[in-house]
Amino acid sequence: MASTATTSSTWGILAEFDSAAEIFHACEKVRDAGFAQWDAHTPFPVHGLDDAMGLKASKLPWVVLVVGLSGTFTGTALQYWVHNYAYKLVISGKPYFAWPAYVPVIFEMSILFSAFATIFSIMGFCRLPRWNHPIFGSKRFEKASDDKFFISIESADPKFEATRTAEFLKGIGAKHVELVEEEA
Amino acid sequence: MSHPTATTLDAQSASLPASSLWSKSPIIGAVIGLLGLIGMFVTGSFHGEGLFAYLVAYLFFFSLAMGALFFVVIQHATRAGWSVVVRRLAEILSMGFPALLVLFAPIAFGAHDLYHWTHLDEVAKDPILQAKSGYLNMGFWLGRALFYLVASSAYAWYFYSKSVKQDTNGDLAYSHATRGASYPALPVLALSVTFAAFDWSMSLDPHWFSTMFGVCFFAGGMIALLATLAIMGHSLKSAGPLAVVTTEHFHDIGKLLFGFTVFWSYVNFSQFMLIWYANIPEETMWFAHRWIEFGWDKFSIFLAVGHFALPFFFLMTRHTKRNKVTLLIASFWMLAMHYLDLFWQVMPTEQHHGPHFTAAHGLSMLMIGGFFFALVGVFLKKSSLVPVKDPRLSESLRFTNY
């Protein structure tokens, strides 16, 4: 798989680096070269890599806020409907609309909806669940959870061109560059 | 990594420059405090309703100093790295305690005007107060007050002086000593702040009791401290000595401010809901006074919105916590809300026809605040404003949020 001949089934290109500092500066150069469909893989979080990659702020908080507030609304509406319409019961002499008693449930519903929004949005943004990823076809990539650092650029990127991208990655300090094939 | 930062700091660059207005705070504070003191005398505010205003102002600065001391102790107990560059500021704020020891005198001498349970003829007619007289009596109450203030002053001095001594030689023994002392300090201070809230604020209404009361007071104190850290931190960053405090540190202070705002709401609502739910007359009375009965309902709603709803949504996003102007707006707002929270706890005891502000409220804030910051100012000038030889300083200098 070390050849750089492009085939229609090329998923992308994988470049290996030896240290956090090397991949940090390489990411800055990939960012400045204008690639869009690419990622960095490190065995541990590298401080400041988000900026070096030029990642924009995640949309996740906004999704969580909206869904969380809908949980607030659901908790309020559910209890209001139950106590004022469906099962009108006087409980310990309180009025039907006894809002202080609603608050714990409203609070918990907001938390529950927010937690669901977080976990399912992350799965959606990461396109999970899936059985496999083409990048796992690379034997060297196993080191990504040990002591090596990788940059992958997908062939879907408009700027991708196998030979030139491979040379570009070598030029910014990659120790090893290989093409990654799409799954059969 | 993209911005290589220094890992050490010299004491000179972290010291207060003589040109800064803060270096004149001992004089300015003393003058303002003296004006407040004279004003209190002229308006005859050291007895009757004026004393209640004085108590609100006293609780404000007591809670601020308590928050500062808790902040210092928690940083030592958790061996925190991020906070080293702002820890000295909290140590210095906690050194305002000796001033509070002296400023307690008007409350001690005016206890008869403030606290119903000091009227022994009334207590004799009241079986509830008779049952509580083993705890609520003048001698024990004064002894406890003395203990809270002396213990807090002693702890403040201990953590401050060890930290300052480390500035000279960077001896790790100081860090080990402060960490070791921080664990027993936590329960002593937690009990002090809880019972101080019981003694000075809750016992204004001696029939009423709530075990949550001390926690609510503590939450307010932490809010006061974090808001003050943000304000003084930004001011001293502009002045020079705290140039090493970055957006990352302010972001964390903002996160804690947001967190304690939520915590304050959580404990206050828990206190309210349990009392509302159980519906026992001697418990609900306290809230009835702060609702329509004494005309405090609008004030209560304003507090719930201003102390919880507004800052909750305002401080939710990271942008407001990382921006200087928005963090300062939130900090000044929360300080005002903390004052109104204490106002709401204390004043309905005296004001049965809705809340109103008097000259004594302003004068007592000037008096106590002036003397408090006069003493704090002395310590601002005394040492560098960053623990320059702390073993975790380089961690704090390099600190970044993800």
Side-chain angles (χ1 to χ4, degrees), chain A residues 92-103:
Chain A
S92 68
K94 301 288 192 287
Y96 290 122
F97 181 61
W99 69 268
Y102 296 2
V103 169

Side-chain angles (χ1 to χ4, degrees), chain A:
Chain A
M1 268 204 283
S3 84
T4 49
T6 320
T7 62
S8 60
S9 64
T10 302
W11 173 81
I13 202 161
L14 188 64
E16 183 182 308
F17 297 85
D18 281 339
S19 72
E22 284 176 24
I23 197 173
F24 186 92
H25 296 299
C27 279
E28 290 178 329
K29 285 168 188 142
V30 176
R31 173 195 70 195
D32 296 340
F35 287 97
Q37 301 280 325
W38 66 287
D39 208 350
H41 314 269
T42 61
F44 50 80
V46 176
H47 275 288
L49 199 62
D50 288 19
D51 289 336
M53 290 176 70
L55 292 182
K56 292 192 187 71
S58 169
K59 291 180 197 71
L60 189 65
W62 291 103
V63 177
V64 176
L65 177 67
V66 171
V67 180
L69 285 175
S70 76
T72 310
F73 175 77
T74 308
T76 315
L78 172 72
Q79 293 176 92
Y80 186 79
W81 172 72
V82 168
H83 289 147
N84 292 273
Y85 296 100
Y87 298 94
K88 286 186 103 165
L89 287 177
V90 174
I91 301 168
S92 68
K94 301 288 192 287
Y96 290 122
F97 181 61
W99 69 268
Y102 296 2
V103 169
V105 174
I106 293 170
F107 174 73
E108 298 295 347
M109 292 286 267
S110 309
I111 303 285
L112 183 70
F113 276 51
S114 303
F116 279 148
T118 310
I119 191 79
F120 290 119
S121 301
I122 288 174
M123 289 176 76
F125 288 149
C126 300
R127 301 193 195 106
L128 290 171
R130 60 187 294 172
W131 303 117
N132 195 16
H133 191 279
I135 209 165
F136 296 134
S138 162
K139 199 76 190 138
R140 302 185 79 100
F141 190 70
E142 289 171 10
K143 286 272 191 183
S145 60
D146 184 4
D147 62 348
K148 295 290 181 191
F149 302 79
F150 293 88
I151 288 177
S152 62
I153 301 178
E154 293 175 38
S155 58
D157 192 293
K159 281 193 173 290
F160 182 86
E161 201 280 307
T163 321
R164 281 226 306 273
T165 307
E167 275 164 18
F168 165 73
L169 285 167
K170 279 196 182 123
I172 60 174
K175 294 290 169 342
H176 180 88
V177 175
E178 65 182 293
L179 281 178
V180 177
E181 299 302 315
E182 202 73 72
E183 290 175 275

